[in-house]
Amino acid sequence: MATAQTIFKRIATEEAFVTQEIADEWDKIIATGAPGDPGFRMMGQTILKPSPGTKIIHKRLTDLGAGRIKDMEADGIDMQVISITSPGVQVLEGSLAHELAVHANDQLAAAVKKHPHRFAGLAAIAPQRAELAAIELDRAVSTLGLKGALINSHTNGKYLDDKIYWPILDAANALKVPIYLHPQTPSPSMVKPYLDYGLYFAGWGFAAETSLHALRLIMSGVFDQFPNLIIILGHMGEGIPFHLQRIDNRYLLQVKIGAVKKMQKLPSEYFKDNFVITTSGVVQQSSLQLSLEELGADRILYAADYPYESVTESVHFIDEAKISDNDKHKVYHGNAERLFSL
Ligand code: CA
């Protein structure tokens, strides 16, 4: 149990930014009411709509300097691992998306260089141009010093188990850097029933979309091909830790009847070996306890989800968790230091 005197270093690992150039391109899509991704269009009509609230969020998202550090200090956050906010460049035309990802990585790397003890970064890449994305991931890690990449789930309804994206997975595997699989709205082929009642958004649709994506990676055998690849899932593993027993159980039944191919390991074993999860946006103690029981304290990282969620609440959540100080050190900073070589 933590005592009042215990001071923990805090590294927050799913902290968002956007470049003005990417935000401008989103605005263009939203303003024209262009067809395309219905999930993104709904975002444009609802939570991205201009308002005093979105103005504050936008200001925080585009600040990679003093304003961000001031906010971090207010909650005792020592370091942010910063990444492009959802849906990043993945809703843009491929060549433009690649160009803006490169530009975003340059901006992020410059901020990290200026504040190396405060910021680390994950690269934005454009899966629409998978070969170029793999080259950019290599440049971002080898030349710019970024620590991996973040991909906002599906790209035009396609998932990373598709072999067209394997150059990206291959690059991450070879560079020994993780890919943060971050939510976005459900893909066009599944979003329709989510569009009512706000369900397309972070309360449910994001987790449904991203957990599906993670399970596609597992069930397709991607990790037999890339055994060292690490995927990071936010939001306490997008619900997957809760379902591991049943996922294994029904997988085994499907193998038995010949409906799916037998893999080298059980789905839960891939999940425990090839995934780590973060606490972003979740302050439910029972979710943390279940995840600790299923995955262990070495595979859970603290994240606040700045500037979307209350950083104060996320800090109270971990501070007050009924876990050992040793585990708290792992969650707050030790696991992030190891995973991102900080
Ligand atoms: Ca987020």
Side-chain angles (χ1 to χ4, degrees):
M1 288 290 294
T3 63
Q5 293 79 24
T6 313
I7 303 287
F8 296 98
K9 182 180 180 182
R10 300 187 182 107
I11 302 177
T13 57
E14 188 200 300
E15 316 309 311
F17 92 112
V18 77
T19 64
Q20 188 57 51
E21 291 78 7
I22 292 172
D24 288 345
E25 292 301 324
W26 292 350
D27 286 347
K28 278 188 213 165
I29 297 175
I30 292 165
T32 58
D37 190 313
F40 183 61
R41 203 160 57 234
M42 182 59 96
M43 291 267 284
Q45 288 162 5
T46 54
I47 65 141
L48 292 177
K49 212 166 58 180
S51 73
T54 50
K55 214 171 155 188
I56 294 165
I57 295 280
H58 180 77
K59 191 162 173 275
R60 290 178 178 159
L61 283 172
T62 49
D63 187 327
L64 286 175
R68 184 174 291 257
I69 291 170
K70 193 167 165 246
D71 284 352
M72 289 164 64
E73 279 168 353
D75 287 301
I77 303 298
D78 294 280
M79 189 176 216
Q80 280 193 350
V81 181
I82 302 171
S83 50
I84 200 76
T85 200
S86 189
V89 298
Q90 288 166 253
V91 290
L92 309 178
E93 181 278 320
S95 302
L96 176 66
H98 175 67
E99 191 186 306
L100 291 181
V102 169
H103 181 243
N105 294 336
D106 287 340
Q107 284 192 31
L108 182 54
V112 170
K113 202 172 169 194
K114 205 167 167 193
H115 306 284
H117 303 294
R118 290 302 209 172
F119 299 156
L122 298 177
I125 53 175
Q128 300 96 310
R129 295 283 184 275
E131 296 284 351
L132 286 176
I135 293 167
E136 176 57 11
L137 174 55
D138 184 70
R139 183 189 78 100
V141 172
S142 308
T143 308
L144 300 181
L146 300 183
K147 302 299 185 182
L150 179 137
I151 296 178
N152 288 296
S153 201
H154 75 86
T155 304
N156 300 321
K158 286 209 176 83
Y159 294 91
L160 293 170
D161 55 280
D162 192 315
K163 285 196 175 150
I164 59 169
Y165 301 120
W166 281 24
I168 298 169
L169 306 182
D170 196 17
N173 193 53
L175 290 161
K176 297 189 170 63
V177 294
I179 294 176
Y180 206 122
L181 192 61
H182 185 278
Q184 69 150 308
T185 52
S187 72
S189 61
M190 67 185 265
V191 75
K192 197 163 181 284
Y194 289 88
L195 293 174
D196 305 314
Y197 318 121
L199 286 166
Y200 71 94
F201 187 48
W204 194 256
F206 279 24
E209 158 67 21
T210 314
S211 57
L212 170 75
H213 198 156
L215 289 169
R216 287 187 65 99
L217 288 176
I218 290 173
M219 302 302 283
S220 65
V222 155
F223 299 108
D224 290 336
Q225 186 72 24
F226 305 111
N228 301 317
L229 181 61
I230 297 291
I231 303 290
I232 309 170
L233 288 177
H235 316 100
M236 215 63 94
E238 308 295 353
I240 292 177
F242 188 91
H243 297 282
L244 285 173
Q245 173 271 329
R246 185 159 171 78
I247 292 166
D248 279 353
N249 178 319
R250 297 296 87 178
Y251 156 77
L252 288 170
L253 173 71
Q254 288 193 290
V255 168
K256 200 171 164 188
I257 63 172
V260 301
K261 212 171 65 188
K262 192 171 191 309
M263 301 184 292
Q264 290 173 19
K265 298 191 278 190
L266 287 170
S268 68
E269 293 174 317
Y270 291 105
F271 193 74
K272 289 170 188 179
D273 291 344
N274 295 100
F275 287 78
V276 302
I277 70 170
T278 81
T279 63
S280 60
V282 176
V283 293
Q284 184 172 310
Q285 294 293 351
S286 56
S287 297
L288 176 63
Q289 290 299 338
L290 180 141
S291 300
L292 280 165
E293 196 171 315
E294 292 296 334
L295 310 177
D298 291 332
R299 305 196 81 79
I300 304 174
L301 285 68
Y302 167 69
D305 211 349
Y306 177 89
Y308 298 109
E309 299 275 357
S310 164
V311 181
T312 309
E313 274 181 35
S314 75
V315 165
H316 286 162
F317 170 60
I318 302 297
D319 281 355
E320 287 161 15
K322 290 183 172 46
I323 62 176
S324 69
D325 275 8
N326 191 37
D327 285 355
K328 231 170 253 192
H329 278 293
K330 289 179 178 184
V331 171
Y332 256 144
H333 64 95
N335 293 336
E337 286 161 348
R338 191 180 66 249
L339 182 66
F340 299 116
S341 309
L342 298 174

